[in-house]
Amino acid sequence: MYEEIWKDIAGYEGIYQVSSKGRIKSLARRIPLKDGRHRDVKDHILNQCSDKDGYLSVSLYKNCHRKNTKVHRIVAEAFILNQYHKPVVNHLNEIKNDNRKENLEWATVLENTRYGNGHLRLSKAVSQPVFVRDLNTGFKKIYSSALSASDEIGVSQGSISHALRTGHLAKGRYEVEAM
C-alpha cells in the first residue's frame, strides 16, 4: 500500500531508525563493552511491548543507558510536522497499536480527549456507582454515577464528588458512598 520509509531517530542517529509503518530498527554497529572489548550487532527489528494502557513501546540504548519510549511518539516526531507545538500524539482510528504515520496526528490534550469516542471512554473511566441516602426522608438508592445521582436528587455533581472524597454530607442531608 504505502512504501516503508526509514529515518534516523533523533538523538539516536546511526543507532536506531523508525519506519513510516511504525517499526523500529537497530542498526548494524560495533558496541564497546565496559571491559574494553567490542560486540558486533547486526541490523534487526526491535520487539515492541504493550504497556498497561495498550500503547506499544521499545527500549532504546545509548552509552549504556536505557530509555523506554512510546512507538507512536517516535513515529510522529520523525514523520509528522508539529508546527503548532502540540504535545500529544493522537491515533486517528483510535487503535493504540496502529502506529503507521498515516494514522497519527499531533493534538492538544483536549483535542485528543474529545476525538472520536474519547468522551465516552473518559466518562466510563471516571464514573463509578454511588450509594445515596437522604437522612431527612430515609430514601436510599444506588446510582450508576455521581452525575446520574446529581440529575435525580438535584445536588451538584461537584457536591456529590466532594462528599465522596471527604465523607461529608452532600447539601447537608445526603450521605454518599462509592460502591
Side-chain angles (χ1 to χ4, degrees):
M1 182 186 244
Y2 293 102
E3 176 188 353
E4 187 168 24
I5 300 165
W6 291 91
K7 290 187 176 183
D8 281 332
I9 296 175
Y12 294 89
E13 293 84 356
I15 302 172
Y16 297 102
Q17 289 185 333
V18 58
S19 88
S20 55
K21 293 186 177 184
R23 300 192 308 156
I24 309 294
K25 175 170 57 173
S26 177
L27 299 175
R29 62 191 184 281
R30 177 168 276 199
I31 300 173
L33 301 174
K34 290 179 181 178
D35 64 4
R37 294 180 301 143
H38 290 84
R39 181 170 61 108
D40 292 326
V41 175
K42 296 179 182 178
D43 275 5
H44 65 280
I45 303 298
L46 298 182
N47 291 327
Q48 299 181 14
C49 298
S50 182
D51 71 8
K52 65 179 177 57
D53 297 318
Y55 293 99
L56 295 176
S57 65
V58 292
S59 293
L60 303 178
Y61 293 86
K62 182 177 175 183
N63 300 328
C64 299
H65 291 91
R66 181 180 75 179
K67 181 179 180 186
N68 291 325
T69 309
K70 303 266 192 274
V71 173
H72 64 281
R73 184 132 195 125
I74 298 171
V75 174
E77 287 173 352
F79 291 98
I80 302 170
L81 178 64
N82 189 7
Q83 66 186 19
Y84 300 109
H85 308 287
K86 294 183 177 183
V88 177
V89 180
N90 180 42
H91 287 83
L92 297 171
N93 66 5
E94 300 188 59
I95 299 172
K96 295 175 181 179
N97 62 3
D98 183 354
N99 294 316
R100 296 170 296 118
K101 75 172 186 163
E102 297 81 15
N103 186 45
L104 303 175
E105 69 176 355
W106 288 102
T108 65
V109 173
L110 185 60
E111 288 168 342
N112 193 43
T113 301
R114 288 184 174 169
Y115 187 82
N117 293 320
H119 64 288
L120 296 175
R121 289 190 312 275
L122 182 62
S123 65
K124 187 175 183 179
V126 299
S127 68
Q128 61 179 338
V130 293
F131 172 77
V132 177
R133 179 173 30 182
D134 185 333
L135 296 179
N136 291 352
T137 66
F139 175 79
K140 302 174 193 175
K141 185 171 180 181
I142 296 175
Y143 296 92
S144 61
S145 67
L147 180 60
S148 62
S150 168
D151 289 343
E152 190 168 316
I153 65 174
V155 175
S156 74
Q157 183 181 359
S159 180
I160 291 173
S161 296
H162 182 267
L164 283 169
R165 283 192 314 274
T166 64
H168 294 118
L169 297 177
K171 206 167 183 179
R173 67 183 256 200
Y174 295 101
E175 195 173 60
V176 183
E177 295 178 35
M179 298 300 297

